[in-house]
Amino acid sequence: MISAARPLMQNAAAPQNAGVDQSGIMSNLRRLIWLYMVLLLAEGALRKWIVPQFSNPLLIVRDPVVILIYILALRARVFPCGRFAISLGVIAVLSFLAGVLVLEPYIPWGVSALVTGYGFRANFFHLPLIFVIGAVLDNEDVEKVGWWMLLFMIPMGLLMVYQFKASPDAFINRTAGLGEAEQITAGSGKIRPPGSFSFASGPIYYVSGAAAFLLYGALTRFPYKNWLLFGAGTAIVVAVAVSGSRGLVVSVIVVILTIGVIFLLRPQSVNQFGRTLVLVVIAGLIISHLPIFKEGAAVLSERFATAAEGTESTVAGGLIERTLSGFTEGFKLVGRVPFFGYGLGVGTNVGAQFLTGRAGFLLAEGEWARVLLESGSLFGTAFLIWRILLAAHLGYLSLRALNAGQMLPILLFSAGFFVIANGPFGQPTSLGFAVVFGGLCLAATRSKGNAKEISARPAKPSPGTHGDQRMRGRSVYADRLHGPRVTQDRSNGSLDRRSPS
């Protein structure tokens, strides 16, 4: 059992290494991490509209970036070597060997290597990047990521509206590659807008992440300017309405419910959010009267009602059942799957393409069921437990950061929990967001220039600083009892609302 109290990495900070330009390597690592995130957003646009003839190779367009990041992380000594990384490596190697042995008697060696190799890539190859992101970036870097994510949310929302209004066979709604397939429908002749991503799952992760940064901006005073919060907030509300996706609704609701945890542990946050709530209500009333919002909400309501009728449940019950089904489905298979499974990678769409010439779900559509059927009751269960423990540890670190006054980690954790624990890693977009959310959650617990998580108490002001000045009319005893006066000086660099961004 991995101790929750133990840090995720033994070498979270880059030590001094004579003869190696540490600052240059760390700068290049940051650039490559940003490139990874940019490619995650652009991958769908490349596969659908720009170079659809290269759709299949672009599935792994981020892999060379990951390799370069790992090489530089090794040089800078920030590559993870803690218990999570070591246990993941053991599970990965054993799962790969078991997959090769299982497939070898039935298919040619070349095909077996491709299927198993892609399964290894989907399940394990990108996950160490979570810890590298957590070691290289800090809280200020994460706030910058949030600024760009909120800014890009505005054109993303407009794009989703355009896709919602367009016919299912329009160019803007084409799927990845050169085929004639269409996007998943939402009812009433509308598709589920995928935005810039290949499929409708992309907006589920992106919009929930943008919602996390939006709430962070509403709960704090300085990170983002009001025009950005208002524009991104409007785009998020409209995107949810036209999404036709129950998964997107659930994801955003989970992020919003995190406010309750924040208020419980940090009651003083209520005052700041109360001032913002008035503007939110006014904006909500305006948005609710927009024709596109009404049309999207009608389609979404119809989809909820149809799904509830199919399960003979209420709308709320159907949402809960959908959320939990991905976890419970796997438990039903534990006693019935082969000990070593049917082969690593067989359950992915790419693995099916190698085996049958056609993409599809050969084993199961749910992630936990896929993992168990691929890797068997031993290694499959071990990998699922590893993912659960990782998610739990991120939650623990986020709560600890919240107690220290930092709200961003818990918001990012709420946006990324489901994709980390139960997201379909065989789909490159889901895997990418699991890595990004996990890494940003870790990085958000670090103050700038410090590899350690933020301390539970603020540093005691030194004599001669503003914090040492007594409030006028206050006795020395009162200062000792209540603490020194708190100043309002604070800077967030280029993201400060008081400075241009």
Side-chain angles (χ1 to χ4, degrees):
M1 182 67 67
I2 301 172
S3 173
R6 186 178 180 87
L8 286 174
M9 296 161 292
Q10 294 178 350
N11 55 340
Q16 297 297 325
N17 188 10
V20 177
D21 182 7
Q22 293 290 333
S23 61
I25 294 177
M26 296 298 283
S27 297
N28 288 331
L29 275 171
R30 288 188 177 89
R31 295 188 185 100
L32 289 171
I33 290 170
W34 276 93
L35 177 59
Y36 182 93
M37 292 186 284
V38 170
L39 288 175
L40 177 61
L41 299 182
E43 177 184 299
L46 294 172
R47 298 182 65 213
K48 293 188 298 184
W49 304 315
I50 301 176
V51 282
Q53 65 272 25
F54 299 114
S55 175
N56 289 337
L58 286 171
L59 282 170
I60 57 174
V61 67
R62 285 174 279 120
D63 288 21
V65 179
V66 175
I67 293 173
L68 289 176
I69 290 175
Y70 289 167
I71 292 174
L72 293 183
L74 287 169
R75 292 189 61 194
R77 297 188 180 181
V78 294
F79 192 84
C81 61
R83 292 183 179 180
F84 272 96
I86 294 174
S87 58
L88 177 67
V90 173
I91 296 171
V93 171
L94 294 177
S95 298
F96 179 84
L97 295 176
V100 170
L101 293 175
V102 168
L103 293 177
E104 191 274 333
Y106 304 103
I107 59 177
W109 166 252
V111 177
S112 173
L114 289 173
V115 173
T116 309
Y118 187 82
F120 180 90
R121 178 259 180 203
N123 283 10
F124 308 110
F125 179 62
H126 284 230
L127 294 183
L129 183 55
I130 294 175
F131 312 123
V132 177
I133 293 175
V136 174
L137 303 186
D138 55 37
N139 183 271
E140 184 175 319
D141 294 317
V142 179
E143 288 183 345
K144 291 177 182 177
V145 172
W147 192 92
W148 285 104
M149 199 167 185
L150 289 173
L151 182 66
F152 191 67
M153 184 66 236
I154 299 174
M156 178 73 77
L158 294 174
L159 177 59
M160 291 179 67
V161 169
Y162 183 35
Q163 292 170 328
F164 178 81
K165 298 290 290 185
S167 63
D169 59 350
F171 174 80
I172 197 69
N173 286 330
R174 70 181 304 172
T175 58
L178 299 174
E180 300 297 327
E182 295 181 353
Q183 295 286 348
I184 302 175
T185 60
S188 301
K190 302 293 184 180
I191 58 101
R192 302 182 202 174
S196 65
F197 302 98
S198 299
F199 305 104
S201 59
I204 295 177
Y205 310 125
Y206 187 87
V207 175
S208 60
F213 283 110
L214 178 71
L215 290 177
Y216 176 64
L219 290 167
T220 54
R221 186 174 179 181
F222 297 105
Y224 312 118
K225 294 187 176 182
N226 289 328
W227 69 263
L228 179 62
L229 296 177
F230 181 80
T234 301
I236 289 172
V237 173
V238 173
V240 172
V242 303
S243 67
S245 169
R246 293 182 296 162
L248 178 53
V249 174
V250 171
S251 298
V252 173
I253 288 176
V254 169
V255 174
I256 294 174
L257 291 177
T258 308
I259 296 178
V261 179
I262 294 174
F263 288 168
L264 180 64
L265 298 179
R266 305 290 298 180
Q268 59 270 37
S269 304
V270 177
N271 297 330
Q272 176 63 30
F273 187 72
R275 292 189 290 269
T276 307
L277 185 60
V278 177
L279 297 176
V280 171
V281 171
I282 296 174
L285 291 174
I286 296 174
I287 295 171
S288 65
H289 286 83
L290 295 176
I292 186 63
F293 179 86
K294 292 181 178 180
E295 184 180 4
V299 173
L300 188 61
S301 298
E302 180 183 347
R303 172 159 168 72
F304 272 84
T306 302
E309 291 175 1
T311 58
E312 299 182 355
S313 176
T314 63
V315 172
L319 279 177
I320 295 173
E321 182 179 351
R322 172 180 173 78
T323 303
L324 298 179
S325 62
F327 296 93
T328 58
E329 181 184 9
F331 288 116
K332 300 176 182 178
L333 300 173
V334 171
R336 296 189 285 119
V337 299
F339 188 74
F340 290 122
Y342 294 102
L344 184 63
V346 172
T348 63
N349 282 329
V350 174
Q353 183 78 38
F354 288 139
L355 292 171
T356 66
R358 184 175 181 180
F361 298 102
L362 295 182
L363 298 179
E365 187 172 356
E367 174 68 356
W368 279 25
R370 177 192 72 85
V371 171
L372 288 171
L373 290 170
E374 278 190 355
S375 299
S377 56
L378 178 60
F379 302 134
T381 302
F383 181 49
L384 294 179
I385 292 175
W386 186 92
R387 289 172 63 170
I388 295 171
L389 290 175
L390 173 63
H393 195 81
L394 291 175
Y396 164 76
L397 293 178
S398 299
L399 288 173
R400 193 171 72 176
L402 180 59
N403 281 323
Q406 178 54 271
M407 291 176 282
L408 185 53
I410 192 69
L411 289 167
L412 290 172
F413 171 76
S414 67
F417 167 78
F418 283 112
V419 69
I420 292 171
N422 194 30
F425 284 1
Q427 185 185 60
T429 301
S430 299
L431 174 62
F433 274 105
V435 169
V436 169
F437 282 145
L440 293 180
C441 181
L442 276 179
T445 64
R446 297 178 52 213
S447 58
K448 182 174 177 58
N450 183 7
K452 298 179 181 179
E453 290 85 1
I454 58 179
S455 60
R457 292 180 178 270
K460 182 178 180 180
S462 58
T465 64
H466 292 290
D468 193 53
Q469 297 175 357
R470 292 203 310 273
M471 187 176 294
R472 179 174 295 179
R474 216 188 213 186
S475 67
V476 177
Y477 175 78
D479 271 340
R480 292 178 180 176
L481 181 63
H482 300 289
R485 178 182 61 181
V486 179
T487 63
Q488 299 299 321
D489 296 333
R490 176 185 169 184
S491 173
N492 283 279
S494 61
L495 297 178
D496 198 313
R497 289 186 184 178
R498 297 169 296 182
S499 61
S501 56

